[in-house]
């Protein structure tokens, strides 16, 4: 993955370009750690050779994994970065398109890039914090 700072007024904006074979979620998380991002949001388009999506089951308080074992286009990838226990955490949702034009979507658990993934990250000037919410079983942003 390559990255470039493209703006620095107030909060920084970065362009990230992932290489074929890179895993998107771990790459975004590593970038956030290296750049000490405590809050931000991102969007991306590109493609995955395969992915694992998730649907959060509120009763089980866990993600039902949805494997996508085919080449797909990333039609929309949106997410945020916030701190949880002092460390950046990534929360992303994705819609992918298959070769027949159908779409699948959910929480992005893993996505292996093919041929590229182009992502723009905008840092927020103030840090956001996630705290565990017992009722939902999720780490939610607390304002």
């Amino acid at each position: 993955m390559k990255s470039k700072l493209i703006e620095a007024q107030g909060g920084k904006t970065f362009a990230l370009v992932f290489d074929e074979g890179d895993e998107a979620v771990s790459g975004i998380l590593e970038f956030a750690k290296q750049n000490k991002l405590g809050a931000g949001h991102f969007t991306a388009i590109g493609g995955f050779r395969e992915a694992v999506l998730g649907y959060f089951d509120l009763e089980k308080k866990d993600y039902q994994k949805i494997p996508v074992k085919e080449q797909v286009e990333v039609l929309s990838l949106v997410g945020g970065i916030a701190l949880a226990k002092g460390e950046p955490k990534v929360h992303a949702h994705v819609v992918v398109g298959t070769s027949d034009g159908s779409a699948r979507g959910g929480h992005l658990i893993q996505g292996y890039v093919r041929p590229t993934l182009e992502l723009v990250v905008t840092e927020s000037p103030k840090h956001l914090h996630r705290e565990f919410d017992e009722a939902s079983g999720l780490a939610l942003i607390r304002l």
Side-chain angles (χ1 to χ4, degrees), residues 29-89:
L29 181 59
E30 185 59 32
F31 178 83
K33 287 179 180 179
Q34 289 176 355
N35 288 276
K36 297 178 176 51
L37 297 181
H41 61 276
F42 55 87
T43 60
I45 58 171
F48 292 143
R49 75 166 188 252
E50 66 179 292
V52 178
L53 310 182
Y55 174 80
F56 192 74
D57 185 325
L58 276 169
E59 290 182 21
K60 293 181 181 176
K61 295 184 175 145
D62 198 9
Y63 285 96
Q64 171 188 328
K65 291 184 178 173
I66 305 164
V68 179
K69 296 196 176 278
E70 63 182 294
Q71 177 71 33
V72 292
E73 289 198 34
V74 175
L75 305 175
S76 177
L77 171 58
V78 296
I81 300 165
L83 295 176
K85 298 182 182 176
E87 291 291 320
K89 296 292 179 195

